[in-house]
Amino acid sequence: MSQHTAFPDYFRLLFYETGNLFPGYAPHVGAGQNIYHFSYYGLLSPVTLLSYCFPSVEMPVFISAASAISLAAGCLLFYWWLSGKGLSNMICITVSCVFLLSGPMLYHSFKHVMFVNYMPFLCLALIGTDRLHRNGKAGLLTAGVFLMILSSYYFSVGGIVSILLYGISLRLDGRICPDARGSLVFFLLPVVTAVLMSGILLVPTFCALLEGPRGGQGTANVFSLLIPEFVMKKFLYSPYGFGLSAILLTALPAGLLLRKRGQRFLSASLILISVFPVFLYILNGGLYPSEKGLIPFLPLVCYLIALFIRNMEMNENQFQIKVLLLFAFSMLVIFLAKNQSHYWTAAFADALLMLLCAYTLIRLKKANYLAVPAVILLLASCLYVQGLEKNIDRKTYERIMNPAVAEAVEAIGLSDQGFYRFDTLQDKVQTMNRVCHGNQYLTSVYSSSSHEGYAHFRNDIFQLERPLRNDLMQAASQNPLFLTFMGVKYVRADSAPAGYELFLEAEGAKIYRNSNVLPLGYVTAKVAAEKDLLNAEFPYRQELLLNRAVVGAGYSGINQGPDFQSRMIPLALRLPEIESDDGSVVWDQSVYRVDAQKNVTGSILLEEPASEDLLIFLEMNLINHTPRRDISIIVRNQRNRLSAENYTYYNGNTVFRFAVTVPKGSRDLPVNFSAGNYEISSLRSYSLKASDMTREDIASSSFEPTKSGAKGNVISGTVNTGEDGYFVTSIPYDEHFRVELDGKEISYERVNTAFLGFPVSRGFHQIEICYLAPGIRAGAACSIFGFLAFTAIIARLRKIDEFANSGKIKMGNPKKLKQGIRKN
């Protein structure tokens, strides 16, 4: 709900807004960013593009149906591919069931769609590889690789490696057509052509990845990557590896005993890739040596299992004795790795049962005595592992997808045609990327790649609360100063932040409005130097950003106005001391020590009830004495969380900062301490009246959008200012904008440390800001060249087929065929 359906839904909405199949800019998400930061989620996926034909179907429903169809198609294509290997129908069916029931295939069909949605096209490419080596026809291989890349460029790297390994194994076994089309060049050419055809996606995405932070906190050093390791979750049951049963631990090394060189090569390659972390590190783009990089090799692993079962059935005594020893060895490996997984006992029993089944197969010479139990065991493990996943409940789904909200956003857009943002403070995880209408612009974003400067501004400059454990989740903030700074005029929330009043209520959805937020673009002469901002501490720098535009060293000559005087009032608040059956919070030698088995609650008390809405700011340092578990603190309705140190996306949030609203007449702040053992020190607190949030009129004139406003790659409008100053926006700065002032291109700079701005003179000005995604032109050129090459290859192969079928030369004579091709 938060990524794999939200982004395709946004891509579809953006297409309806602009009519552009190849957009470069996403103005609605993350305050406005390069759209290729989000291409991983299916920007040009065939499934996403197909959804454009069904505007009335909710995207979660469409993606669910597409995932089910993709799962079925992948398994049927795998069966088709396997059935061309000379295997018995029983082996093909049972191993296809093993493929279907593997951990990643089922789990990620509803969890992380991009992990497996490319699988039908990978199987299609494997069929195409057979076809290329059998009769020299390259079209199916090229089409399979091309569609695989569009579906999931991240996993297509492993998919292409998988195809290349399989192609090499066919060549080693001598399974190539007898003419020149069986050469290595003819094998690589279709793959390279498919990569070129995908240039419109790959090149801009690569440029975006170079500029933005990516997921993962991997700290592996070179030496550790070169040390082989056996980790159970790579092989058994887990949806983030091969996800198979204990038969894999025997079938994979048993491939080294097969007669054909190509099959032995395939087995050795897969063992090396799964055992040496360096290969997984490369397949995961240098982020971390995660076992999810093994998923694209699943068809090859299942193929080796099929060969293993067939060879067991062939009654070769020497092979069967070695296999029984391998089964026994796998049991020893599982026993030695028992501390790696909570289900090692089940794995050990699985391996023991497989050993007994293998012995039964040898005695009765029936492959189904081994294959069928393997399927049943895998099914049982699936019911256990997949059953641990919690699906979204119907009530939450209906709240997130409430059509009344989209109607309200549309109605607001018709009545308020300014340029503003609209954040959702409910169900933050699921709504971070969810844009319900073209008039809704969000400050939040959750993506494996995003704008680095904007993320740095949120976390390190404005110093927002961080409610989620994942460092990549930039949730909508409840900090009223940030909402005001970013021009968030409307919020959907359960309660009003300071400065907001209930505007309308639509079928249970409350929408609040603050008409005093800063415009998304404005002219001001009230500026401050960046060094002054960086020297200010929390929360004074937040207040400064609301009252001064922060520029670099080149701001001289502009009237700064009177020195800014803060209205913040330092307080001496104390956290509650708690003693209960669930845990305790104790003041001990200048620190608060929390030792709780369950969440404990209390209240921070002000000296007197608030005479008007107040903002209370809290800052505290934390040390987690249970580093392998998350800890969190909630003050009123605002949460800060420190994730476990071993979490892949560790957020490093060791300083909790809060900016919470105390309503008029209230004097208590409810506090919830999570379970754990941790200490809190250096508590600092401040207050600010809600009426003082923007006491100075920083914006002398506002940006008025034209009729098109912010549409697609272009933001256009006018401004009329009575003084020289800076045009300041809350659009994240990027080097790839093109800014025109009164029809002339001008240079621009970074203001407020992370946003786009430039000096302007007094008077009326027309402004157009256009974004050109880096690499999009080069990518388009690659795609055009790739499609031309693909057309040329197909045309040439047709001519060769026509010549071969003309009767001038017989297909069975390779030398004469080559001579004839050269001559013609």
Side-chain angles (χ1 to χ4, degrees), residues 243-365:
L244 297 172
S245 62
I247 192 173
L248 170 65
L249 298 181
T250 300
L252 198 56
L256 300 174
L257 306 175
L258 299 175
R259 290 183 176 180
K260 293 186 176 181
R261 281 194 308 163
Q263 294 170 357
R264 295 199 303 271
F265 164 80
L266 204 56
S267 178
S269 299
L270 293 174
I271 291 172
L272 290 175
I273 289 171
S274 57
V275 169
F276 283 90
V278 64
F279 294 109
L280 293 180
Y281 186 77
I282 294 170
L283 290 171
N284 282 287
L287 298 178
Y288 36 54
S290 171
E291 57 272 8
K292 69 183 181 183
L294 295 173
I295 297 175
F297 299 95
L298 183 60
L300 296 185
V301 169
C302 291
Y303 169 55
L304 286 176
I305 291 175
L307 295 178
F308 164 73
I309 295 173
R310 183 187 65 178
N311 279 271
M312 284 291 290
E313 191 182 34
M314 290 173 65
N315 198 26
E316 295 182 5
N317 290 332
Q318 197 171 18
F319 178 81
Q320 292 173 341
I321 292 171
K322 292 178 181 178
V323 165
L324 292 178
L325 293 175
L326 283 175
F327 267 118
F329 180 73
S330 70
M331 293 172 62
L332 176 63
V333 170
I334 291 172
F335 179 78
L336 294 175
K338 62 182 180 180
N339 294 325
Q340 292 182 1
S341 174
H342 63 276
Y343 46 71
W344 81 270
T345 306
F348 187 83
D350 182 356
L352 177 60
L353 186 57
M354 284 291 97
L355 175 60
L356 297 175
C357 290
Y359 179 75
T360 305
L361 184 155
I362 292 171
R363 298 289 295 176
L364 301 178
K365 302 176 177 58

Side-chain angles (χ1 to χ4, degrees), residues 466-486:
R466 300 174 72 178
L468 304 169
R469 71 190 307 237
N470 192 326
D471 190 46
L472 301 175
M473 292 181 173
Q474 299 173 42
S477 174
Q478 292 173 272
N479 184 326
L481 271 67
F482 181 76
L483 296 174
T484 302
F485 174 82
M486 292 298 295

Side-chain angles (χ1 to χ4, degrees), residues 1 26 73 161 227 240 319 353 364 452 466 533 556 574 579 593 613 652 781 801:
M1 290 296 291
V161 174
I227 299 174
Y240 292 93
F319 178 81
L353 186 57
L364 301 178
E452 185 172 17
R466 300 174 72 178
L533 175 72
S556 59
R574 292 180 61 86
E579 286 286 353
R593 302 190 187 279
D613 286 356
D801 287 339

Side-chain angles (χ1 to χ4, degrees), residues 8-18 28 52 435-439:
D9 200 16
Y10 174 58
F11 298 150
R12 182 171 65 176
L13 182 148
L14 198 59
F15 172 74
Y16 294 153
E17 288 280 313
T18 65
H28 302 83
Y52 295 176
V435 181
C436 62
H437 192 272
N439 294 328

Side-chain angles (χ1 to χ4, degrees), residues 464-699:
L464 293 174
E465 78 276 14
R466 300 174 72 178
L468 304 169
R469 71 190 307 237
N470 192 326
D471 190 46
L472 301 175
M473 292 181 173
Q474 299 173 42
S477 174
Q478 292 173 272
N479 184 326
L481 271 67
F482 181 76
L483 296 174
T484 302
F485 174 82
M486 292 298 295
V488 182
K489 191 174 183 178
Y490 299 92
V491 297
R492 179 187 176 190
D494 293 321
S495 59
Y500 287 80
E501 296 179 348
L502 184 63
F503 179 67
L504 63 86
E505 189 169 359
E507 296 186 14
K510 294 181 179 180
I511 296 175
Y512 297 87
R513 181 175 69 177
N514 181 358
S515 298
N516 296 318
V517 299
L518 292 178
L520 269 65
Y522 59 89
V523 176
T524 184
K526 296 177 179 178
V527 298
E530 189 171 307
K531 61 181 179 61
D532 294 332
L533 175 72
L534 299 179
N535 288 334
E537 296 182 348
F538 172 89
Y540 295 102
R541 63 169 56 178
Q542 296 186 0
E543 187 186 19
L544 178 61
L545 281 164
L546 256 65
N547 292 278
R548 292 289 185 271
V550 176
V551 298
Y555 72 94
S556 59
I558 295 176
N559 179 25
Q560 298 181 56
D563 291 339
F564 171 68
Q565 298 296 322
S566 173
R567 295 287 182 92
M568 291 280 180
I569 300 176
L571 298 177
L573 297 181
R574 292 180 61 86
L575 296 178
E577 295 189 64
I578 304 168
E579 286 286 353
S580 72
D581 294 337
D582 294 332
S584 63
V585 180
V586 179
W587 171 255
D588 179 23
Q589 298 179 353
S590 76
V591 299
Y592 292 93
R593 302 190 187 279
V594 181
D595 187 5
Q597 292 73 46
K598 296 181 180 179
N599 293 359
V600 293
T601 59
S603 288
I604 299 173
L605 296 179
L606 304 181
E607 291 183 356
E608 57 185 23
S611 58
E612 62 174 279
D613 286 356
L614 280 181
L615 279 174
I616 300 296
F617 299 88
L618 299 172
E619 185 178 37
M620 58 191 79
N621 297 346
L622 274 86
I623 298 176
N624 187 2
H625 296 301
T626 51
R628 297 186 71 84
R629 68 186 298 177
D630 291 10
I631 57 171
S632 65
I633 297 176
I634 302 174
V635 179
R636 195 170 284 279
N637 58 352
Q638 194 172 116
R639 180 197 299 268
N640 264 286
R641 182 188 294 272
L642 173 62
S643 53
E645 288 182 356
N646 61 328
Y647 181 53
T648 303
Y649 304 103
Y650 173 67
N651 65 10
N653 185 28
T654 57
V655 180
F656 284 8
R657 299 181 177 94
F658 300 87
V660 296
T661 302
V662 178
K664 179 181 177 180
S666 177
R667 63 171 299 216
D668 67 313
L669 288 171
V671 184
N672 180 287
F673 300 91
S674 73
N677 190 322
Y678 49 98
E679 63 183 52
I680 304 167
S681 61
S682 303
L683 176 65
R684 300 169 290 281
S685 52
Y686 312 83
S687 72
L688 178 70
K689 294 179 180 179
S691 58
D692 286 335
M693 282 200 302
T694 54
R695 73 178 189 280
E696 296 186 15
D697 186 12
I698 184 176

